[in-house]
Amino acid sequence: MKTGLVVVERVQGRSSVTRCFSKYPLKFIAPKKAAPCTTDAIWIYSLTYGGGIVSGDCISCDLIIGDGCTAVFTTQASTKVYKSVGSRCSEQILEVKVGCDALMVLIPDPVTCFLGARYSQKQIFSVASSSSLLLVDWITSGRHENGEKWDFELYKSTNNIITEGHQPLFLDAVLLDHGSSISIAERMQGYQVVAMVVILGPKLVHVRHKFQEEVKKLMTEQLYSSFTVNGHHKRTRPDNNKLDFIASCSVFGPKGVGLVVRITALTTESVYKFLQNQLASMELSLGAPPYHR
């Protein structure tokens, strides 16, 4: 049974929320002043009662973004997942339909799984050939300031993008559990954040190019240093210190219509800053820059 539904359609030439339903433990807020009245964009905030997801919670909601509409789906803070009781797994399922020439922007704060948590989320996006989609999906190690570092029991995140005719365009899954002899913390080697950004569609071509250029520049600067020996310019790896921030880009889909950016970092703040910088230009279409509080 669904716990939430939001429908965005064009009313008198503007993107408008025509249906909004939610029930415990989920709540939606669609403030009218999230963006200037001159901007045709709807901002929708998702939150949970009690400030997080508890053992056994099952949240299932639909978002329908009509033709030509622009919608932003975000959160007010990180999604906190609390300790699982027994083997019960908390679950969240989001199904999104993005209409023709529509722009859907999903920019939540990161998921934070606490000690002993078990959490699974699945997000399914149905898009048209002219749809545009920006998706950010990320997780932190937990309350690492309290000594918790990847101490949850299970985290699984699945993201599927399906095109017209039910053809798969992008299928991705991340699984972190204690199914091997090496703990999650050991596998992470000190990194505290894992993130993924998916960029798709004609309205986000400039954002895609900016990510590609910045990732190339950033990683080139971090991985190599320049020096001159006997008048010859050479490049070499720097010392073996751990890189603070690692990112990579790869295209997907026919003719490379989509881009996926994968990130791992030592601090949550560095990822916030990176996303703020790369998405700042979207203020023009969204009415506010993503991740700027």
Side-chain angles (χ1 to χ4, degrees), residues 8-18 32 35-42 66-70 285-287:
V8 178
E9 298 175 291
R10 293 197 73 76
V11 178
Q12 297 181 347
R14 295 184 60 84
S15 301
S16 304
V17 176
T18 57
K32 294 182 179 180
C37 61
T38 54
T39 304
D40 182 23
I42 293 295
D67 295 350
C69 293
T70 297
S285 57
L286 304 182

Side-chain angles (χ1 to χ4, degrees), residues 1-290:
M1 187 173 180
K2 298 294 183 180
T3 51
L5 168 68
V6 177
V7 179
V8 178
E9 298 175 291
R10 293 197 73 76
V11 178
Q12 297 181 347
R14 295 184 60 84
S15 301
S16 304
V17 176
T18 57
R19 292 185 65 188
C20 186
F21 156 78
S22 60
K23 68 176 185 178
Y24 184 88
L26 179 67
K27 185 175 182 180
F28 292 135
I29 299 175
K32 294 182 179 180
K33 296 184 179 181
C37 61
T38 54
T39 304
D40 182 23
I42 293 295
W43 284 68
I44 305 157
Y45 291 83
S46 171
L47 60 153
T48 51
Y49 289 91
I53 297 175
V54 300
S55 178
D57 275 351
C58 183
I59 298 172
S60 177
C61 57
D62 290 347
L63 299 179
I64 301 174
I65 314 303
D67 295 350
C69 293
T70 297
V72 183
F73 191 72
T74 186
T75 54
Q76 291 185 315
S78 64
T79 299
K80 300 172 181 62
V81 184
Y82 294 97
K83 184 177 180 178
S84 173
V85 177
S87 59
R88 299 177 69 188
C89 184
S90 304
E91 184 178 35
Q92 189 160 216
I93 301 172
L94 176 65
E95 295 187 49
V96 184
K97 182 178 180 180
V98 188
C100 298
D101 198 36
L103 170 60
M104 174 64 194
V105 179
L106 187 66
I107 46 172
D109 293 285
V111 172
T112 300
C113 293
F114 292 174
L115 176 68
R118 297 178 61 85
Y119 175 70
S120 173
Q121 69 174 28
K122 185 173 184 178
Q123 300 180 142
I124 303 170
F125 302 88
S126 299
V127 301
S129 58
S130 59
S131 301
S132 296
L133 171 67
L134 173 70
L135 161 67
V136 178
D137 184 21
W138 51 324
I139 179 176
T140 71
S141 62
R143 295 175 292 189
H144 55 264
E145 66 278 1
N146 293 339
E148 293 183 19
K149 296 181 180 179
W150 308 107
D151 286 331
F152 50 82
E153 293 295 325
L154 178 143
Y155 169 83
K156 183 177 181 180
S157 179
T158 302
N159 289 284
N160 295 339
I161 302 177
I162 310 299
T163 63
E164 298 156 312
H166 303 287
Q167 295 299 311
L169 177 65
F170 178 81
L171 305 176
D172 183 83
V174 173
L175 175 63
L176 299 174
D177 65 3
H178 292 285
S180 71
S181 58
I182 303 176
S183 68
I184 301 174
E186 289 177 298
R187 281 177 269 163
M188 289 301 176
Q189 299 184 18
Y191 288 98
Q192 306 300 326
V193 187
V194 174
M196 179 181 73
V197 183
V198 177
I199 306 164
L200 174 70
K203 292 186 177 181
L204 296 172
V205 171
H206 66 291
V207 176
R208 169 182 165 171
H209 290 163
K210 184 173 175 59
F211 266 94
Q212 289 175 302
E213 292 170 2
E214 185 61 24
V215 168
K216 181 179 179 180
K217 176 184 174 183
L218 181 64
M219 296 315 299
T220 299
E221 291 175 349
Q222 289 207 69
L223 291 172
Y224 297 96
S225 61
S226 298
F227 68 101
T228 301
V229 178
N230 297 326
H232 296 284
H233 190 71
K234 295 186 178 182
R235 305 176 92 188
T236 184
R237 285 290 302 275
D239 56 36
N240 293 322
N241 290 340
K242 187 184 299 293
L243 296 176
D244 295 340
F245 187 99
I246 300 175
S248 67
C249 291
S250 57
V251 298
F252 65 87
K255 299 181 180 180
V257 295
L259 178 74
V260 56
V261 184
R262 300 188 186 276
I263 301 165
T264 187
L266 294 179
T267 66
T268 306
E269 291 73 19
S270 65
V271 181
Y272 267 120
K273 183 177 179 180
F274 178 77
L275 293 174
Q276 288 168 358
N277 291 338
Q278 303 315 303
L279 300 176
S281 63
M282 296 193 70
E283 180 177 3
L284 295 175
S285 57
L286 304 182

